């Protein structure tokens, strides 16, 4: 599923607004020990963002790359912009930035993901953040995770993922190192107890 499909979706799937938590047997290295927030799920596929993988770039790097500021201006950025979190959102379109944020900031290009969370992938939100404005809670993600029709359902049935209701605190929590364990704890699961082998009765 692509961003354009997300904008035009008319149906919601059972994984909308859910966390996907990778099982230990996950073979795809892109998703080893990941927690993914699913933004859209339908018969056409699914789209979401990894929320626990660091990115080497800073928000200042992004502004410089987009030529929104010059080197000399970097020191003048407000603290909220200098410290703004950047994460690796997934392997699809990894050079493209998306801002997942609270719904107190809405532009014409913002897409509601849930009752409280929106997604904006245009420069207006980047400008707002660089000036100390923008949403109260947000993170920038480079790239996203996408699945075609039926693909994600097959991965779940093959014991690739667990799913549970998303937790907004965890989505925007900047502490990434133990987010996988904390997501499992939402389900009452200890990571050490998970088996990498599928158990089909």
């Amino acid at each position: 599923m692509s961003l354009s499909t997300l904008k035009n979706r008319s149906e919601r799937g059972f994984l909308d607004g859910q966390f996907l938590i990778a099982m230990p047997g996950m073979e795809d290295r892109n998703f080893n020990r990941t927690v993914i927030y699913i933004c859209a799920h339908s018969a056409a596929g699914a789209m979401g963002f990894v929320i626990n993988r660091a990115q080497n770039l800073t928000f200042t790097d992004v502004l410089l790359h987009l030529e929104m500021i010059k080197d000399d201006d970097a020191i003048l950025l407000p603290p909220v912009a200098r410290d703004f979190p950047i994460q690796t959102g997934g392997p699809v379109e990894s050079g493209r930035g998306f801002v997942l944020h609270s719904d107190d900031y809405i532009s014409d290009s913002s897409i509601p993901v849930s009752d409280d969370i929106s997604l904006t992938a245009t420069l207006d939100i980047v400008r707002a953040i660089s000036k100390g404005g923008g949403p109260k809670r947000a993170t920038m993600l480079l790239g996203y995770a996408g699945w075609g029709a039926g693909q994600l359902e097959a991965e779940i049935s093959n014991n690739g993922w667990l799913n549970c209701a998303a937790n907004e605190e965890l989505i925007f929590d900047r502490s990434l190192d133990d987010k996988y364990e904390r997501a499992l704890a939402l389900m009452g699961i200890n990571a050490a107890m998970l088996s990498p082998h599928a158990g089909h009765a």
Side-chain angles (χ1 to χ4, degrees):
M1 178 179 282
S2 66
L3 187 64
S4 60
T5 310
L6 173 59
K7 285 179 186 173
N8 300 316
R9 76 191 191 283
S10 57
E11 59 178 305
R12 287 184 175 261
F14 70 91
L15 291 171
D16 264 311
Q18 295 262 316
F19 280 155
L20 287 183
I21 306 169
M23 287 288 282
M26 172 62 67
E27 294 177 2
D28 189 334
R29 288 185 183 180
N30 288 312
F31 299 118
N32 183 39
R33 288 178 58 83
T34 56
V35 180
I36 294 178
Y37 175 58
I38 294 294
C39 293
H41 173 234
S42 71
M47 176 190 183
F49 295 95
V50 176
I51 60 164
N52 66 326
R53 189 157 284 176
Q55 172 62 240
N56 293 327
L57 292 174
T58 66
F59 191 66
T60 302
D61 293 332
V62 171
L63 293 174
L64 289 167
H65 174 74
L66 294 172
E67 298 182 353
M68 296 178 80
I69 62 169
K70 293 186 167 65
D71 280 326
D72 296 343
D73 299 330
I75 197 167
L76 303 175
L77 289 171
V80 67
R82 286 199 302 272
D83 298 334
F84 191 77
I86 311 285
Q87 296 177 47
T88 298
V92 184
E93 292 191 61
S94 57
R96 186 173 180 188
F98 302 84
V99 180
L100 201 58
H101 58 90
S102 50
D103 65 355
D104 54 327
Y105 173 93
I106 296 291
S107 72
D108 291 341
S109 56
S110 297
I111 303 166
V113 174
S114 72
D115 291 341
D116 306 308
I117 296 175
S118 295
L119 178 69
T120 304
T122 50
L123 292 180
D124 51 355
I125 193 168
V126 177
R127 277 193 204 92
I129 294 164
S130 72
K131 294 173 181 174
K136 184 178 178 184
R137 308 181 81 180
T139 186
M140 176 176 274
L141 301 130
L142 299 183
Y144 65 92
W147 293 265
Q151 185 182 359
L152 181 53
E153 292 86 343
E155 290 179 11
I156 291 172
S157 68
N158 287 327
N159 207 39
W161 302 98
L162 293 171
N163 65 286
C164 69
N167 175 293
E168 187 177 335
E169 291 297 320
L170 208 58
I171 291 171
F172 296 115
D173 191 318
R174 296 190 182 197
S175 179
L176 304 183
D177 290 345
D178 65 343
K179 197 177 275 195
Y180 179 76
E181 287 77 11
R182 286 184 289 140
L184 285 170
L186 293 173
M187 303 177 70
I189 296 173
N190 183 329
M193 306 300 287
L194 282 178
S195 166
H197 306 293
H200 296 293

